[in-house]
Amino acid sequence: MRYRSILLFGAPGAGKGTQGKILGSIPGLFHCACGDVFRNLTAESSTGRTFIEYSSRGELVPDEPTVDLWQEFISRSTQAGRFHPDTDTLVLDGIPRNVHQAEMLKETLDVRAIFYLSCPTLKKLVHRIQRRALRENRLDDANLEVIQHRLKTYERETKPLLSFYGKEILHRIDGTQSPAKVLHDILRHVTKV
Ligand code: ADP
């Protein structure tokens, strides 16, 4: 079976995590932030070490360990009764993150909608990321060079996903609005997927 899914899409700092957490608290929606799954690993595991190596440079973790880890997380969540694939919709944040990952997950995901939180002002993104660095103690958020590299990685590797999935399911949302307004815009469509 393919998991019914909606994707939160946008640059680092666009607000995917904030919206994902709120959406995930709604019954019937299950939020999965790939970055959080990585951050919950320890440096003792080999994927944990790979994550630290790549994320500290502002690069994406290679696709195979990423997709494997994600699959494991979904299986564990299903077994633990947190995620009910028959009735829940997955709210994916940070995965798939490039066209190759989307190809790898083609038989696994039934993507019904993409919410593209657009934030054209680079300065605003950088400011939000730096503010988050202090709150969440994230290594990759603290260094300006790493942040800039992540934004470039997003433009080069992640943005092409928009044309992979096509316009029919794409909803562009102004990510510079307040979190409540962004949520309102997303929810108008979520009820229809
Ligand atoms: P942000 O969107 O702010 O960059 P995330 O928490 O989504 O933050 O990701 C942090 C880091 O985790 C990324 O820079 C990347 O190194 C790694 N990562 C997360 N998801 C993926 C993914 N699907 N594929 C490869 N790397 C990923």
Side-chain angles (χ1 to χ4, degrees):
M1 79 167 279
R2 287 155 84 219
Y3 302 123
R4 188 176 48 247
S5 312
I6 58 180
L7 306 188
L8 296 174
F9 192 89
K16 304 183 296 289
T18 303
Q19 297 300 325
K21 271 182 213 131
I22 307 172
L23 291 169
S25 68
I26 301 175
L29 299 181
F30 181 75
H31 174 224
C32 169
C34 196
D36 288 345
V37 179
F38 275 123
R39 278 183 289 277
N40 281 327
L41 296 171
T42 62
E44 274 89 68
S45 71
S46 93
T47 312
R49 284 193 298 273
T50 309
F51 166 66
I52 292 168
E53 183 193 332
Y54 284 86
S55 64
S56 61
R57 294 200 299 255
E59 286 169 17
L60 297 185
V61 177
D63 297 333
E64 273 72 21
T66 299
V67 170
D68 284 353
L69 178 74
W70 179 83
Q71 302 258 24
E72 261 170 49
F73 172 80
I74 292 295
S75 305
R76 259 186 286 126
S77 305
T78 308
Q79 273 158 26
R82 285 189 291 272
F83 171 48
H84 305 95
D86 298 339
T87 48
D88 288 348
T89 299
L90 267 179
V91 179
L92 293 176
D93 160 2
I95 190 164
R97 204 145 171 145
N98 58 30
V99 171
H100 184 232
Q101 291 182 11
E103 296 275 8
M104 290 169 80
L105 291 167
K106 219 171 166 173
E107 303 305 318
T108 311
L109 302 179
D110 169 16
V111 179
R112 299 287 183 93
I114 302 182
F115 296 103
Y116 173 22
L117 311 188
S118 76
C119 185
T121 349
L122 224 57
K123 230 171 113 184
K124 193 160 192 159
L125 290 173
V126 173
H127 177 73
R128 284 182 180 178
I129 294 171
Q130 286 178 320
R131 206 178 47 195
R132 180 172 73 183
L134 300 174
R135 271 205 310 260
E136 296 179 13
N137 193 23
R138 276 181 55 168
L139 282 177
D140 59 338
D141 276 349
N143 177 310
L144 189 59
E145 247 174 67
V146 176
I147 294 175
Q148 277 161 348
H149 193 72
R150 267 161 62 205
L151 291 168
K152 283 198 189 118
T153 304
Y154 164 75
E155 288 290 332
R156 197 180 55 233
E157 298 186 41
T158 307
K159 238 175 167 185
L161 266 177
L162 288 177
S163 42
F164 177 87
Y165 284 113
K167 284 200 192 91
E168 295 74 24
I169 56 169
L170 181 66
H171 304 281
R172 195 188 174 107
I173 287 166
D174 177 1
T176 62
Q177 306 177 100
S178 68
K181 283 204 177 120
V182 173
L183 180 67
H184 174 259
D185 288 354
I186 295 177
L187 284 177
R188 278 194 312 152
H189 301 287
V190 162
T191 44
K192 295 180 207 142
V193 299

